[in-house]
Amino acid sequence: MSDPMLLVVEDDPHLTQLLGYNLERAGFKCHVSSTGEEALQQLVRKSFDLVLLDVMLPGIDGFEVCRQIRQNQLFRDLPIIMLTAKGEEIDRILGFELGIDDYVVKPFSPRELILRIRAILKRDRRHGGRVPEQLRAGTLDVDLVRHLVTLEGRELLLTLMEFKLLAALLKRKGEAQSREKLLSDVWDVDRSINTRTIDTHITRLREKLGETGRMIKTVRGFGYKFDEEA
């Protein structure tokens, strides 16, 4: 299992540096956004396991960022921990009403924060998280545990990259996914790979899927989506 990827939304450079150092030492990968707008853009482009979200941000604040995340069908189950200097009960209540998973008041212990992150991620895995063990579309079956793909009962021989790409498309059926986001799912975020590499693998995947390959639709100028009704 790859290291969990965290989206840290914080505009204080000193705190960002402290968080990055401690989180990476603890085995997490981090991507930092200094504004709420940037954070929402990154969510579309890349895959994250948890969001550390400051309340006091330039532009839209953390509460509004949380509201927009929860309104998006794709991210509504994404764990969120709020980081804030505000400790009033009303702020905690508002945060939980918006759907946050935990609330940490500054100043806080990095060790405590790491324990809270691990507890939330462990809880999601224990309850199945947001990813099922098996994905289906018509006569296409993808077994994520056994890394097995069958089409009309016949096993398909896919490369590891093709398997991960197909799984990423099926997990969000009907949702347009950018090439950058697919890259982050298949090759991890920090790899410097040309996004057009995705096009090559999509072509090969379509060929192996035959008629079912038509369900992988090109979203011009953006990426791809798996459309079961195609």
Side-chain angles (χ1 to χ4, degrees), residues 1-202:
M1 182 179 294
S2 60
D3 295 337
M5 171 60 74
L6 311 183
L7 176 59
V8 179
V9 191
E10 172 60 63
D11 65 328
D12 183 337
H14 299 292
L15 182 55
T16 297
Q17 186 176 11
L18 176 66
L19 284 170
Y21 173 76
N22 283 279
L23 292 171
E24 288 176 7
R25 282 193 63 190
F28 300 106
K29 293 180 181 178
C30 298
H31 181 93
V32 176
S33 293
S34 58
T35 68
E37 291 89 345
E38 181 187 347
L40 293 170
Q41 292 171 3
Q42 290 303 318
L43 281 172
V44 175
R45 296 172 183 165
K46 301 175 181 178
S47 294
F48 297 97
D49 297 288
L50 184 142
V51 178
L52 295 178
L53 178 61
D54 188 24
V55 169
M56 304 302 292
L57 295 168
I60 61 174
D61 64 19
F63 291 127
E64 179 59 26
V65 173
C66 182
R67 184 180 289 109
Q68 291 192 36
I69 290 175
R70 290 296 180 245
Q71 287 175 346
N72 190 314
Q73 182 77 13
L74 189 58
F75 310 125
R76 66 178 185 180
D77 295 324
L78 180 64
I80 299 174
I81 296 179
M82 273 196 162
L83 307 176
T84 177
K86 289 188 174 183
E88 292 83 355
E89 181 182 13
I90 187 63
D91 293 313
R92 294 197 298 274
I93 291 173
L94 177 57
F96 285 120
E97 285 179 343
L98 289 172
I100 66 170
D101 295 80
D102 206 346
Y103 196 106
V104 181
V105 179
K106 303 174 185 177
F108 53 82
S109 159
R111 176 175 168 78
E112 178 188 358
L113 177 61
I114 289 167
L115 290 173
R116 289 183 183 230
I117 292 171
R118 286 176 173 162
I120 289 174
L121 294 178
K122 194 175 296 182
R123 178 203 67 193
D124 276 9
R125 286 196 296 270
R126 187 168 60 247
H127 293 294
R130 296 166 299 284
V131 181
E133 292 184 351
Q134 200 147 6
L135 303 168
R136 292 188 178 91
T139 58
L140 177 66
D141 285 273
V142 177
D143 189 319
L144 299 176
V145 176
R146 295 189 295 161
H147 272 236
L148 178 67
V149 178
T150 59
L151 180 62
E152 297 179 350
R154 296 180 294 103
E155 182 178 353
L156 294 183
L157 298 179
L158 304 183
T159 66
L160 177 60
M161 294 302 121
E162 290 165 352
F163 177 88
K164 293 173 72 174
L165 183 56
L166 178 60
L169 289 166
L170 281 172
K171 286 173 188 173
R172 295 181 285 270
K173 280 190 293 186
E175 298 282 347
Q177 300 183 59
S178 68
R179 289 181 174 86
E180 291 83 2
K181 186 166 183 61
L182 289 169
L183 274 175
S184 74
D185 284 339
V186 178
W187 279 276
D188 294 330
V189 171
D190 295 329
R191 300 288 186 87
S192 55
I193 299 176
N194 190 304
T195 55
R196 291 297 171 178
T197 302
I198 285 290
D199 299 341
T200 301
H201 286 273
I202 287 288

